[in-house]
């Protein structure tokens, strides 16, 4: 209880009282952060100050319910090594960290923009830098799913004398190491042109569990290399070496490729004591997407060697385009670095089945989270956007309930508005897809109408089953703003398809719901968080027990009180009177953000400026959610408040990059009142006993920052 009061007091301090926070949060030290590379469906490699980690590169199977991938064998046998005249070996990018590299320093470039990472190495005779990346190219799903990791070194002789050295890629074949019963002695490294093909004893694997889901790996460089391999305690290590002599001021590019290919993958693992294949409604085995295009990692490696230079040019061009559009450089950095979650824990099957696993929860992407990312997919990967919608449609219950997470969790009550808006975004300029998805849209809307939409045509939830999971708020403005837009879009979609009876039906519902939304929630300046005076305590409600409690915080100003308005503006739709939308959005800026700009903003604030500490579960009123903050920035810009929008965007980006969020582990949010944070809270040093950090490895809500980008583009 003392902890709660202490943090509550600190939260209520004015901005000037927390200026010291910058001395305790993360500072933008270039070599501090792990640099991930990866792309759709291929996990990632990461490396940084603490060295190189081989995170799930083998795609064996899901290793923990907490969403953490182990880094493989602890040795990694040095990964890249640099030698001069056969002596003075220098290891580059290994797990042991800088102190054992034998180098003066390793500098990460200030660009650090996903999916490319840049390094420079100092303290050796050769001038050496590295660009590492996987292909991740807007509007190109094919190449953005190629399972290849490219390491391109540029070496230059800065001296007046010839310089000889060797640069090598050393790689251990530990395919299958995750299995307790699996002995990697049966693995084999097969020399191929300019590299090694790494595989395992398939017969031995099948004998263990009658399943062959592991893949193969190829490491290679270009011509003029030498190959060698050795064993340590039965563990096989392969070495691809380039021996080079450079004249004075001469330079050379040296590419290395690590390529993978898997016939099957298994998300596996156990969650809440259940095997996933017992709780899912689909098989846990999916055929790997690349089986249709590449038969082995050798073909992947050859394809990558042919295309890596073009990929890198395209990656740089798309990064430059973002910087040209966005004035604030920190915002541009955040936009690009947010993309790493699409390569960290995502899957992409042969049939185009795409999903992310949300780290802490071990769930297939939850719809209220994916909702914020859908505009990004619609713009840059429309085929994936359509498949995401179809995945939710296929996993819809027989009566029309949309799941919270794919094939698994139907506990949430109000997922249908998210689904309808996502479906409309993908169907807007695609009539054939509109015809395909409309029956699911109608089914979902009719189900919601039959459940808890009352005579006022608004969602009158009993307790708190909405995106803010434990915030007790019946008839909440947030979810109903999305419901209003869903009604409008369903009517418009039916009209576009010539289904006039449905169009009139849903338009009438929209008009009635819009009137009641205003009557019940508008207070003259903004929309109250909720309209009802009593609701069920969420903690009990989720256990089937109805315990009524007064909603003391129903007049709080909620950051996302009219999120539906932003999506309506982006789609060119009219949802609420313009003057009300502008007033409510500006009020949120002044009340929830401007008073607390050192914290970024607060989710729930009373009109007198006090933080809402009366919420049934104050975590959600005080937490900083990465989706909501970018909704506010984009909504301000869309409604004509450009200076305020830039203000929110700039401070939010700085907080996420440097104060509350590590560079690439951009999570859901940070700060709460009960001793645990989702990420570091800027008031406290990360190891302070009051607030302990935890990380979300994958959380698509972070792509909400692209809503701001699209607002800049649209308005």
């Amino acid at each position: 209880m003392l902890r709660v009061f202490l943090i509550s007091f600190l939260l209520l301090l004015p901005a000037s009282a927390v200026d010291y926070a910058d001395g305790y949060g993360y500072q933008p030290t270039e070599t501090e952060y792990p640099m991930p590379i990866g792309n759709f469906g291929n996990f990632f490699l990461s490396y940084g100050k603490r060295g190189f980690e081989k995170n799930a590169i083998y795609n064996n199977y899901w290793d923990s319910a907490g969403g953490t991938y182990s880094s493989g064998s602890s040795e990694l046998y040095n990964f890249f090594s640099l030698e001069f005249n056969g002596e003075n070996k220098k290891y580059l990018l290994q797990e042991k960290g800088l102190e054992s590299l034998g180098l003066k320093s390793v500098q990460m470039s200030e660009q650090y923009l996903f999916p490319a990472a840049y390094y420079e190495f100092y303290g050796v005779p050769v001038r050496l830098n590295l660009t590492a990346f996987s292909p991740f190219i807007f509007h190109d799903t094919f190449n953005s799913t190629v399972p290849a990791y490219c390491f391109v070194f540029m070496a230059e002789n800065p001296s007046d004398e010839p310089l000889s050295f060797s640069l090598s890629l050393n790689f251990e074949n530990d395919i299958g190491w995750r299995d307790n019963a699996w002995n990697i002695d049966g693995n084999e490294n097969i020399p191929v042109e300019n590299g090694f093909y790494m595989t395992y004893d398939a017969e031995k694997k099948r004998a263990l569990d009658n399943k062959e889901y592991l893949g193969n790996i190829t490491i290679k460089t270009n011509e003029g290399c030498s190959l060698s391999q050795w064993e340590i305690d039965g563990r096989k290590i392969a070495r691809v070496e380039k021996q080079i002599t450079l004249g004075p001021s001469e330079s050379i590019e040296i590419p290395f490729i690590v390529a993978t290919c898997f016939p099957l993958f298994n998300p596996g693992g156990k969650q809440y004591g259940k095997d996933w294949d017992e709780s899912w409604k689909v098989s846990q085995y999916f055929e790997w997407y690349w089986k249709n295009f590449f038969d082995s990692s050798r073909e992947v490696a050859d394809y990558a060697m042919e295309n890596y230079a073009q990929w890198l040019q395209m990656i740089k061009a798309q990064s430059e385009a973002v910087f040209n559009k966005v004035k604030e450089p920190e915002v541009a950095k955040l936009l690009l670095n947010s993309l790493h979650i699409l390569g960290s824990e995502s899957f992409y099957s042969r049939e185009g089945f795409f999903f992310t696993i949300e780290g802490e929860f071990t769930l297939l992407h939850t719809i209220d989270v994916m909702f914020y990312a859908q505009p990004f997919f619609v713009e840059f990967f429309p085929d994936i956007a359509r498949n995401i919608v179809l995945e939710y449609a296929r996993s819809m219950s027989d009566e029309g309930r949309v799941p919270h997470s794919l094939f698994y969790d139907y506990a949430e009550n109000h997922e249908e508005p998210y689904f309808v808006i996502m479906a409309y975004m993908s169907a807007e300029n695609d009539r054939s897809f509109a015809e395909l998805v409309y029956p699911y849209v109608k089914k979902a809307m009719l189900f919601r109408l039959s459940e808890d939409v009352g005579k006022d045509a608004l969602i009158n939830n009993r307790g708190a089953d909405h995106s803010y999971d434990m915030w007790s708020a019946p008839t909440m403005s947030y979810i109903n703003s999305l419901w209003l837009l869903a009604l409008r879009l369903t009517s418009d979609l039916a009209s576009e398809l010539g289904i006039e009876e449905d169009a009139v039906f849903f338009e009438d519902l929209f008009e009635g719901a819009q009137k009641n939304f205003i009557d019940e929630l508008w207070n003259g300046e903004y929309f109250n968080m909720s309209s009802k005076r009593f609701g069920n305590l969420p903690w009990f409600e989720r256990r089937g027990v109805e315990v009524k409690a007064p909603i003391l915080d129903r007049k709080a100003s909620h950051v996302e009180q009219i999120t539906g308005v932003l999506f309506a503006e982006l789609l060119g739709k009219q949802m609420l009177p313009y003057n009300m939308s502008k007033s409510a959005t500006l009020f949120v800026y002044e009340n929830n953000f401007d008073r607390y700009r050192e914290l970024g903003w607060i989710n729930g604030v009373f009109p007198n400026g006090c933080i809402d500490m009366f919420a049934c579960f104050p975590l959600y009123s005080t937490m900083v959610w990465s989706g909501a903050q970018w909704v506010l920035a984009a909504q301000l810009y869309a409604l004509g408040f450009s200076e305020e929008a830039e203000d929110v965007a700039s401070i939010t980006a700085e907080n996420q990059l440097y104060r509350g969020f590590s560079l690439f582990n951009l999570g859901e949010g940070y700060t709460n009142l009960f001793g645990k944070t989702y990420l570091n809270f800027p008031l406290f040093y990360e190891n302070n006993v009051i607030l302990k950090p935890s990380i979300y490895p994958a959380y698509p809500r972070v792509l909400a920052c692209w809503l701001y980008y699209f607002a800049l583009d649209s308005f």
Side-chain angles (χ1 to χ4, degrees), residues 133-137 140 142-144 146 148 150 152 253 255 257 290 294 299-315:
F133 63 96
S134 287
F136 189 92
I137 300 160
D140 187 347
F142 181 89
N143 280 299
S144 296
V146 173
C150 309
V152 183
E253 182 179 278
I257 302 295
W290 285 110
F294 300 112
E299 295 181 14
V300 177
D302 290 341
Y303 182 75
M305 190 62 72
E306 293 172 2
N307 291 279
Y308 78 85
Q310 181 181 6
W311 289 339
L312 189 55
Q313 287 180 352
M314 299 175 76
I315 288 168

Side-chain angles (χ1 to χ4, degrees), residues 541-552:
E541 182 193 14
R542 292 198 168 193
R543 287 154 178 76
V545 179
E546 294 190 11
V547 177
K548 292 287 186 180
I551 306 302
L552 302 176

